[in-house]
Amino acid sequence: MGIYLHIPFCQRKCSYCDFYSLSGANTELYDQYTDCLIRELTLRTAEYRLPLISIYFGGGTPSLLAPQHIERILDTICKLYLPQGDPEITLEVNPATISRQGLEDLRQAGVNRLSIGVQSFVDRELHLLGRMHDSQQAGQCIEWSHQAGFDNISLDLIYGIPAQNKEDWRGNLLQAVDYGPQHISTYLLQLEPHVPLARRITSGTLAMLTDDEEADLYDLARECLREADYLHYELSNFARPGFKCRHNIGYWSVGAYLGVGAGAVSYDGRQRRLNIPDLEAYLTALSKNIPLPQQILETMGRRQQLAEALVMGLRLVEGIDRDTLGGRFGIENWADFQPIIDHMVSEGLLMVDHNRVYLSPGAYFISNAVLSEFLE
Ligand code: SF4
C-alpha cells in the first residue's frame, strides 16, 4: 500500500489549477494541520494493515510545510504502519517556496524523492500559467536539490500551453534533460471551465492549441526523451532505469492507498472514499474527535474492479497480464471484457503478445476515449 498526504495550501492559486488548495495560510495553521494529519494517521491505523511501500506528500504545495512538520509526520507513519524495506518518500516541491537549507532539511527528515513542479522553462509560459516562480528559480531549485543529496528527482512539465510551438516545447524538454533528473512527467494542459485561464479562452483573448497540435507535442516528448535515454513507461511518464515512480505504479496497478488530509481519497481495494475537501470541517473534526467528514465515492464489485484495473493498467506501456488480472478478479469477469479487447485489437488500438495486452502507440494520445469503453 501507499500513503498519500494532501497539503491543501498554496501561496497563490495558479491560473489553470482546479486542485483543492487554499491560499493565505500561516505558520499557525500549518502547525494545526500537521497535528490533525498525525491524529488522522493514528485514528485510521487499523484500516490499512498492509506492507507500506510508498509515501507521497502532494497538494497544494507540500513544500510550504516546514521540514520539522514532515519529520513528525514521517515518524508517526513509521511507528504506526508497516514500512517495507526502504519506502519511496516523495514530496512535491514548488520552486518558489523552498531554500537550499530547506531542501537539505527535507533530505535529513527522510524525504528521498522530489517531484519539482517546474511546468516550463519559458518565462512567458510560466507567467501565463500564473506560477509564482520563473525559469531561473526552477533551475536553481533543481541544482540545490542535487546539492542537498537528492538522487531521485522528478520534473513536471506542461505542454499544450496557448501559443506554445514545437520549438518552445523541444526547448523545455532539452532543458529538463540537461538538469539530469531521474524522472520526467509531461502533462497536457486541461482546463476546467471555472479556472481563470479558461475564462480568458472563452472570452477570446487566448486560444488553446488544436488536438492535432497537442498530439504533435506529445509525440515530440516521446521522441526527445527516448533519444535522451529515458524509458517511456506510462502514458505521461518517463524514467531512467530503476526510477519509475513506485507510488504512482501503486495507483496504476490498483493497489490500496490511504489518503490523509482534507480532500484526500483512499482506496482499500473495494471502496473509494473521499475526505471532504473542506479544511474547516477537517480541522474541527480532528480537533474535537468527531467523525471525519467522508464521502463514499464508489463501492466496486469484482467486475468493476477489473474494469478499473484495465483502465489503469493499460496506461502502463508494458500493459497488463491477462492471467494475473483474471486470477485476481475472476476469469468469468475477464471473459466479459474479451469482446471489447478483441474489437480494439481489430481496430489497431490494442496489441496482444501472449498473455500481455497493451495500448498500441498510435492510441496513446487518445487513450482516455479508448479506455473509457471498459467503463460503459
Ligand atoms: S501550486 Fe499547484 S496546487 Fe497550488 S495552485 Fe499552483 S498548480 Fe494548483
Side-chain angles (χ1 to χ4, degrees), residues 79-354:
K79 268 189 225 127
L80 298 178
Y81 291 84
L82 306 168
Q84 182 86 345
D86 198 5
E88 175 189 271
I89 305 176
T90 304
L91 185 131
E92 289 179 352
V93 171
N94 179 332
T97 63
I98 197 87
S99 65
R100 181 177 167 161
Q101 184 62 49
L103 287 161
E104 283 175 13
D105 293 344
L106 283 174
R107 187 75 193 92
Q108 283 296 317
V111 174
N112 54 27
R113 182 174 186 273
L114 295 180
S115 171
I116 303 178
V118 170
Q119 319 310 359
S120 170
F121 288 102
V122 177
D123 285 336
R124 179 195 71 79
E125 294 178 353
L126 289 168
H127 184 70
L128 195 71
L129 295 172
R131 299 291 305 191
M132 297 274 298
H133 67 275
D134 60 20
S135 53
Q136 193 263 340
Q137 281 173 297
Q140 188 168 65
C141 176
I142 302 166
E143 277 167 7
W144 284 343
S145 303
H146 288 302
Q147 289 161 12
F150 284 99
D151 54 10
N152 191 353
I153 297 174
S154 179
L155 305 185
D156 281 359
L157 294 176
I158 293 181
Y159 67 99
I161 299 169
Q164 188 177 48
N165 61 33
K166 277 186 166 186
E167 283 324 299
D168 297 329
W169 180 230
R170 190 194 304 277
N172 268 322
L173 292 162
L174 296 181
Q175 180 86 67
V177 167
D178 268 358
Y179 280 110
Q182 285 71 26
H183 189 281
I184 297 178
S185 301
T186 59
Y187 297 112
L188 174 64
L189 180 68
Q190 288 176 307
L191 302 174
E192 293 298 325
H194 59 272
V195 302
L197 195 53
R199 291 205 293 273
R200 291 183 65 189
I201 307 281
T202 316
S203 71
T205 33
L206 281 176
M208 290 298 275
L209 303 191
T210 64
D211 288 351
D212 284 349
E213 286 168 331
E214 290 174 350
D216 284 349
L217 297 184
Y218 179 74
D219 289 341
L220 183 60
R222 288 180 55 221
E223 183 190 311
C224 277
L225 296 178
R226 191 178 50 232
E227 278 170 12
D229 291 332
Y230 285 85
L231 173 73
H232 185 204
Y233 73 99
E234 192 269 349
L235 293 173
S236 309
N237 288 282
F238 304 81
R240 294 271 190 235
F243 289 96
K244 294 178 186 173
C245 175
R246 280 154 67 184
H247 186 78
N248 287 340
I249 285 183
Y251 294 142
W252 298 315
S253 322
V254 288
Y257 52 88
L258 169 64
V260 177
V265 173
S266 302
Y267 179 64
D268 62 5
R270 197 180 70 88
Q271 198 168 67
R272 188 164 281 126
R273 270 189 292 165
L274 167 74
N275 285 1
I276 304 293
D278 179 338
L279 180 65
E280 209 46 54
Y282 180 79
L283 296 174
T284 306
L286 285 155
S287 327
K288 296 193 177 158
N289 282 330
I290 54 179
L292 192 62
Q294 280 191 329
Q295 180 191 349
I296 295 176
L297 297 177
E298 49 191 342
T299 303
M300 292 186 255
R302 295 233 297 166
R303 186 183 185 284
Q304 212 180 342
Q305 288 169 23
L306 175 56
E308 176 90 357
L310 285 163
V311 170
M312 297 303 283
L314 286 168
R315 293 188 59 88
L316 291 165
V317 168
E318 67 177 18
I320 45 103
D321 182 84
R322 194 172 52 177
D323 284 354
T324 307
L325 290 195
R328 194 168 157 196
F329 301 108
I331 294 294
E332 68 292 356
N333 288 323
W334 180 274
D336 260 8
F337 289 105
Q338 191 65 54
I340 304 177
I341 291 172
D342 291 342
H343 177 68
M344 288 183 181
V345 171
S346 71
E347 296 278 304
L349 300 169
L350 286 184
M351 298 168 89
V352 177
D353 180 8
H354 297 94

